Amino acid sequence: MATQDQSVVRLEDYQPPAYRIDAVGLDVHLHPAETRVTAKLAIHRAAATAPGTPLTLDGDGLQLERVEIAGQALPASDYAVTPSSLTLHEPPSTPFELVLETRLNPQANTALMGLYRSSGTYCTQCEAEGFRRITYFLDRPDVLSVYTTRIEADAAEAPVLLGNGNLVESGKIEGTGRHFAVWHDPHPKPAYLFALVAGNLASIKDRFVTASGRAVELGIYVEPGKESMCDWAMDSLKRSMTWDEQVFGLEYDLEVFNIVAVSDFNMGAMENKGLNIFNDKFVLADPETATDQDYAHVEAVIAHEYFHNWTGNRITCRDWFQLCLKEGLTVFRDQEFSSDMRSRPVKRIADVRLLKSHQFPEDAGPLAHPVRPRAYREINNFYTATVYEKGAEVVRMLKTLLGDADFRAGMDLYVSRHDGDAATIEQFLACFAEVSGMDLSQFALWYDLAGTPRIDAVPAHDPATGTLSLTLTQTLGPTPNQPDKPAMLIPVRIGFIGANGEELEVRPRGADQVRSDVLLLSQRSQTFTFEGLPSRPVLSLLRGFSAPVTLNASQSPADLLFQLRHDSDPFNRWQSAQDLATRELMRLYAALRSGDAVTADTALVAAIGEVLTNEALDQAFRAQVLNLPGEADLAREIGKDVEPDHILAARRLLRAAIGSAHARQFADLAETLGRKPFSPSAADAGERALKGLCLGYLAVSEQNDRAAIVTRHAREADNMTDRLAALTVLVHERLDGADDALAAFEARHAGHALAMDKWFTVQATSPHAATLTQVDTLTRHAAFDWSNPNRVRALIGAFSTGNQSQFTRADGAGFVFLADVVERLDQRNPQLAARLVSAFRSWQALERGRASLAEAALSRIAASAILSRDTRDIVERCLA
Ligand code: TRP
Ligand code: ZN
């Protein structure tokens, strides 16, 4: 296989830039096919650079029209230019102004990186390396410049012109039908934070007054007609601004904060300074088209991008290896924000579910990499669950280790010391070490070691002495490039539950091994001793999921049931239910796979019934308990030789047993829950989540009017959450009325692309043999569009990552289908294609027949003569 080692970028090779660009003046003449960009770059040689050292600027597919220094055209012999670089052989040794003119074709830009058009609106996406598609530049995050952007466009085509920072001038250009605006951003920033937007956009406006009394104009810009769907986003923005002041003491720093929603976007959103650009699915929300999950996502993504203003923009990354410096920290911050806005335990459960279902499999397969990678071929492929979600867990552990006060002091020091810097993980950690006096060198391994550590816990209780000793052993298996791994520092939060369910106050011997109720596991194996326990307590380990590890505590089913009823830590109550269900599902899977007759365990079925009707538990929490481990969770648990059809069957068997045993309660609850007028509040959302689960269980029960009940819910729903929940149950359980409900949904939402995405996803995730053909048919549906990433992800992405049994069909047709799609999309949009192909990442864990079919599909992609660097990187790592 051809590898391209020459194009690997390595952390150890980092060199500071030889030249700096202090100021950038851009003049952008927008035109759909022939946009002209004039860049005036104020450049100076770094002190450490010898005079006459060549200067190489990055480019990507650029066409250079003009190059001047100090008003003089540069002689051709003084420079070398290609679409991907511009080298000045001997730049002036004193500061100079370089003028570059490039010509772009935004409407031909299908990769959605650089300057492109989305439904007629001009917009940009520059992270990570998109600015080099606009002009030649030192396109690296440690080159910070002050930007002034003049945007000129046809006034009728693009009445709204937006840039970073504050608006300083605008006007008409007489007699041309064109107009212009000049934006100035006083804060030096790396090129990846540059943005401009121009188009026919409507907006909603608001105002925010910061804690120190400065007024900020807020604007959210969308396609005309969608203004009424922006209120939730605006509300979320204002709450984010207040929260960052109150919790981190961080205020906004410009007179304007604008958000633009576009419909063609590769990721969720982008934190461009003062001008965040969003995938419209994370801005638009109303009860008719958005689910409760959508509301929660809008709130979280708005917060995430806003919080980047400090953790990302004011303090940016030295190089892309430090990506988690801004992303892990900012995810942590948005998770904390959502916890404060909603239910903290329910948010924690949702975050851990996401971590386990996305990051753990990544960390266990061929795409595993450390939170801070040391090498990459394509940086776009490192915007991963590991960098984001595990990166956030590492920050959370830091807070657990230091305690609230020292963590906040460390954050304050980080902000004051590094404001205006392009920083590193070492500098970040040094702030926390300094304020706490802790040595964080062992903790820093979390950034460097790939893989999910396992902890084996073995308790031994001696009633004679009232002593309990707990031995914790950590194992971190080999991952690609990291065969031997040292012991890590793992915070294990712990509690003891007494015989009557009461919380026991117990502390171990040896104060240096513990911080409050957190054990500090720092050796491969360590024994903690606890006294004053005459009768055996039930242990509650890893409370709140205090570290991203897999815990093997081999509790008895009786202890897990006891924990489910009594643990004062809601997370572990949920976890104990998941553990019980996982064990039961594993047993059912093994039996089904060997062809044995098997029935579900009645004790577990009864325990779930208890939770269902336990009025003391809030409804969102009950919904989380009723939501059994997913197919991918079980595949991960099984680990190798996975047979997805039997996983599906095992889940179905257990769900049917639960559904039938409690059919009455499910039917009654479905009637009584969520009857009041819609509000997106967390409490009401929890009620609707529980109702949806009730319908799901009812559908697999023996209740004979079940199809009619679910159909009625689908028909009578007055909000998208309820409508989609009922539709999903009808389609996935193939109940009578499913086709009519699909048709009704389609008729109702035909004009609304984001709602139709849900219609695509429901069908793509249906666990039946006919689904693949249906997905293929839907690619020809009028609402489908290969050039829109949301459409592609809603149909193809949902099929390949959300429908395990059908994607991994035993005949390999799911793999072939995805390979075809990837080849079709790769030249058009490499980032999107690379993300889709990542669905193969767990192929080696499948049983042999499926694994070899997956390998064949991957090999076929790898053999393509033309393949983007993005897709080739993923495919080759999957096959390595
Ligand atoms: N920085 C963005 C975020 O965290 C991520 C992002 C948006 C991105 N668009 C991108 C990353 C395009 C790579 C390419 O929210
Ligand atoms: Zn981010």
Side-chain angles (χ1 to χ4, degrees):
M1 177 195 324
T3 50
Q4 308 174 321
D5 270 345
Q6 70 280 10
S7 61
V8 174
V9 184
R10 291 180 197 286
L11 172 57
E12 69 207 36
D13 294 340
Y14 174 82
Q15 294 289 337
Y19 290 84
R20 300 275 170 185
I21 304 176
D22 305 298
V24 180
L26 284 178
D27 190 0
V28 182
H29 290 233
L30 290 168
H31 180 279
E34 283 182 48
T35 288
R36 204 153 37 81
V37 177
T38 307
K40 293 193 171 130
L41 311 180
I43 303 179
H44 80 264
R45 179 173 51 89
T49 304
T53 302
L55 164 61
T56 298
L57 302 178
D58 307 298
D60 181 359
L62 286 177
Q63 186 187 332
L64 183 66
E65 303 276 317
R66 181 158 69 101
V67 48
E68 292 173 5
I69 288 182
Q72 300 288 308
L74 207 60
S77 58
D78 284 6
Y79 68 95
V81 66
T82 72
S84 59
S85 72
L86 170 63
T87 299
L88 306 190
H89 300 311
E90 202 175 325
S93 59
T94 52
F96 63 100
E97 186 182 76
L98 179 68
V99 177
L100 303 172
E101 191 182 312
T102 49
R103 203 170 283 268
L104 318 177
N105 184 352
Q107 76 184 11
N109 182 351
T110 57
L112 315 184
M113 289 296 284
L115 175 68
Y116 66 96
R117 295 190 94 193
S118 175
S119 314
T121 296
Y122 295 93
C123 62
T124 56
Q125 172 56 43
C126 292
E127 185 176 8
E129 298 178 335
F131 193 71
R132 63 184 65 183
R133 291 163 65 89
I134 296 173
T135 190
Y136 292 96
F137 203 73
L138 288 175
D139 190 6
R140 43 187 288 169
D142 58 352
V143 171
L144 276 59
S145 324
V146 171
Y147 285 72
T148 307
T149 309
R150 183 180 178 281
I151 310 165
E152 188 190 307
D154 185 286
E157 188 194 34
V160 173
L161 306 174
L162 303 173
N164 304 105
N166 301 314
L167 179 67
V168 292
E169 200 191 335
S170 66
K172 289 198 173 63
I173 304 166
E174 291 308 326
T176 63
R178 293 174 72 79
H179 69 153
F180 73 97
V182 180
W183 290 80
H184 177 75
D185 178 6
H187 300 283
K189 64 170 178 285
Y192 81 86
L193 291 173
F194 169 82
L196 71 77
V197 169
N200 179 18
L201 298 167
S203 63
I204 67 164
K205 297 279 171 71
D206 209 324
R207 240 166 77 93
F208 182 83
V209 179
T210 68
S212 64
R214 282 178 303 102
V216 184
E217 300 299 328
L218 311 176
I220 300 184
Y221 291 80
V222 290
E223 264 173 42
K226 299 198 169 154
E227 304 92 302
S228 65
M229 301 178 76
C230 297
D231 293 341
W232 177 249
M234 184 63 90
D235 186 58
S236 301
L237 173 60
K238 290 188 288 183
R239 283 184 283 118
S240 303
M241 296 177 87
T242 302
W243 186 90
D244 217 11
E245 292 180 346
Q246 290 175 347
V247 177
F248 284 100
L250 297 172
E251 263 186 45
Y252 189 60
D253 56 3
L254 287 165
E255 292 148 38
V256 193
F257 188 79
N258 283 326
I259 289 174
V260 180
V262 300
S263 48
D264 302 270
F265 202 72
N266 276 342
M267 305 272 287
M270 182 62 214
E271 69 264 25
N272 316 300
K273 184 77 187 190
L275 180 56
N276 289 359
I277 299 181
F278 273 62
N279 184 328
D280 59 2
K281 79 182 259 182
F282 295 116
V283 172
L284 305 175
D286 67 12
E288 170 65 8
T289 58
T291 61
D292 292 320
Q293 269 215 354
D294 293 325
Y295 275 89
H297 285 150
V298 168
E299 180 180 79
V301 179
I302 292 270
H304 179 96
E305 305 311 329
Y306 174 72
F307 296 157
H308 267 315
N309 191 53
W310 279 97
T311 53
N313 300 2
R314 291 287 289 252
I315 306 173
T316 189
C317 303
R318 186 192 72 171
D319 53 68
W320 291 120
F321 297 102
Q322 322 294 328
L323 183 58
C324 62
L325 178 73
K326 74 178 178 81
E327 296 303 347
L329 177 55
T330 304
V331 170
F332 169 77
R333 277 152 51 69
D334 82 56
Q335 290 175 346
E336 285 296 290
F337 168 74
S338 294
S339 300
D340 286 345
M341 296 297 121
R342 292 159 178 266
S343 150
R344 182 165 281 270
V346 171
K347 173 64 177 161
R348 186 65 186 139
I349 291 166
D351 288 341
V352 173
R353 261 191 200 277
L354 183 81
L355 183 81
K356 289 188 174 181
S357 64
H358 288 79
Q359 198 278 325
F360 279 24
E362 181 168 275
D363 234 352
L367 300 183
H369 55 274
V371 171
R372 182 171 64 180
R374 270 184 296 279
Y376 60 77
R377 282 193 287 175
E378 173 50 65
I379 187 57
N380 285 329
N381 289 339
F382 283 84
Y383 289 76
T384 59
T386 297
V387 168
Y388 277 64
E389 263 64 50
K390 189 177 179 183
E393 291 300 318
V394 176
V395 176
R396 188 173 296 282
M397 284 190 285
L398 194 57
K399 184 174 183 200
T400 300
L401 287 171
L402 267 67
D404 293 0
D406 279 359
F407 179 76
R408 172 65 201 268
M411 280 299 296
D412 289 351
L413 179 59
Y414 174 62
V415 166
S416 62
R417 178 181 288 171
H418 293 293
D419 187 10
D421 286 354
T424 62
I425 288 298
E426 282 77 8
Q427 291 173 323
F428 175 70
L429 286 178
C431 295
F432 294 91
E434 201 168 308
V435 297
S436 67
M438 275 182 82
D439 177 355
L440 294 174
S441 49
Q442 189 185 16
F443 179 76
L445 290 170
W446 279 105
Y447 287 100
D448 286 330
L449 300 182
T452 306
R454 191 185 80 223
I455 298 182
D456 291 286
V458 181
H461 180 247
D462 179 0
T465 59
T467 316
L468 183 135
S469 58
L470 173 66
T471 302
L472 299 180
T473 307
Q474 55 168 304
T475 324
L476 185 48
T479 42
N481 310 321
Q482 291 182 326
D484 277 331
K485 291 173 177 158
M488 304 175 76
L489 178 60
I490 306 179
V492 180
R493 197 179 290 281
I494 185 177
F496 300 84
I497 312 166
N500 301 316
E502 76 282 17
E503 186 77 12
L504 303 175
E505 283 295 317
V506 192
R507 294 286 169 263
R509 272 194 227 136
D512 57 328
Q513 301 180 4
V514 53
R515 208 143 298 236
S516 169
D517 54 352
V518 178
L519 307 178
L520 305 184
L521 176 60
S522 61
Q523 297 155 31
R524 278 189 201 284
S525 188
Q526 221 166 316
T527 300
F528 301 86
T529 308
F530 307 87
E531 288 163 339
L533 293 163
S535 52
R536 185 185 73 87
V538 169
L539 280 177
S540 176
L541 285 169
L542 207 68
R543 280 185 159 174
F545 202 66
S546 60
V549 301
T550 44
L551 173 66
N552 174 16
S554 347
Q555 290 122 302
S556 68
D559 278 6
L560 285 171
L561 280 169
F562 188 79
Q563 255 188 288
L564 173 56
R565 297 202 176 100
H566 300 294
D567 203 320
S568 66
D569 179 52
F571 179 85
N572 267 4
R573 281 182 92 147
W574 169 80
Q575 185 65 62
S576 55
Q578 292 287 301
D579 287 350
L580 282 164
T582 301
R583 280 192 210 177
E584 176 62 359
L585 288 163
M586 295 287 277
R587 185 182 72 86
L588 298 173
Y589 167 80
L592 291 171
R593 209 174 166 188
S594 21
D596 298 344
V598 69
T599 54
D601 174 44
T602 49
L604 175 61
V605 171
I608 301 245
E610 255 180 62
V611 173
L612 173 63
T613 51
N614 185 343
E615 300 287 335
L617 299 171
D618 74 46
Q619 285 142 338
F621 181 83
R622 282 191 262 166
Q624 289 286 4
V625 172
L626 283 169
N627 197 352
L628 299 180
E631 292 163 61
D633 293 309
L634 293 165
R636 187 185 69 245
E637 199 69 31
I638 296 163
K640 53 178 192 288
D641 189 31
V642 170
E643 210 286 304
D645 288 336
H646 288 118
I647 294 181
L648 184 71
R651 269 191 106 246
R652 168 131 190 143
L653 197 161
L654 180 55
R655 284 196 305 121
I658 295 169
S660 294
H662 311 298
R664 259 273 58 80
Q665 288 96 314
F666 285 123
D668 291 350
L669 270 172
E671 288 323 308
T672 52
L673 287 170
R675 295 249 138 216
K676 48 191 145 172
F678 181 88
S679 130
S681 74
D684 287 11
E687 213 172 308
R688 283 185 290 269
L690 186 56
K691 176 162 65 171
L693 279 153
C694 288
L695 289 181
Y697 279 108
L698 192 61
V700 290
S701 74
E702 281 145 15
Q703 180 104 355
N704 44 33
D705 56 350
R706 57 194 202 278
I709 295 175
V710 184
T711 299
R712 180 166 48 74
H713 277 274
R715 198 170 342 106
E716 290 174 1
D718 70 348
N719 63 82
M720 180 55 99
T721 304
D722 288 341
R723 185 178 308 126
L724 184 63
L727 178 70
T728 303
V729 170
L730 288 170
V731 172
H732 288 196
E733 304 305 336
R734 308 189 109 188
L735 298 181
D736 286 345
D739 290 341
D740 289 345
L742 275 171
F745 189 103
E746 181 185 9
R748 178 172 196 137
H749 295 294
H752 195 278
L754 294 173
M756 285 303 286
D757 280 350
K758 302 176 198 306
W759 186 80
F760 286 128
T761 297
V762 170
Q763 298 177 75
T765 51
S766 184
H768 300 284
T771 294
L772 175 57
T773 308
Q774 178 63 4
V775 170
D776 185 45
T777 303
L778 288 172
T779 61
R780 291 177 288 278
H781 189 278
F784 188 76
D785 178 359
W786 286 107
S787 68
N788 181 287
N790 286 352
R791 296 307 87 73
V792 172
R793 283 186 289 247
L795 184 62
I796 319 273
F799 173 73
S800 53
T801 62
N803 194 346
Q804 180 172 273
S805 70
Q806 299 316 303
F807 172 55
T808 69
R809 284 161 61 114
D811 64 3
F815 302 140
V816 170
F817 175 74
L818 188 63
D820 290 345
V821 166
V822 167
E823 288 184 341
R824 165 180 199 141
L825 284 174
D826 187 54
Q827 291 306 303
R828 172 190 284 274
N829 187 336
Q831 266 183 60
L832 179 62
R835 243 166 227 280
L836 288 176
V837 85
S838 309
F840 279 104
R841 69 181 175 197
S842 299
W843 70 272
Q844 287 143 320
L846 294 167
E847 54 81 19
R848 285 182 51 149
R850 285 173 169 85
S852 62
L853 291 165
E855 186 176 20
L858 280 166
S859 303
R860 191 193 92 196
I861 303 172
S864 308
I866 41 165
L867 206 56
S868 67
R869 187 165 47 168
D870 307 57
T871 298
R872 182 168 300 284
D873 172 48
I874 299 282
V875 169
E876 289 185 358
R877 278 193 282 144
C878 278
L879 287 170

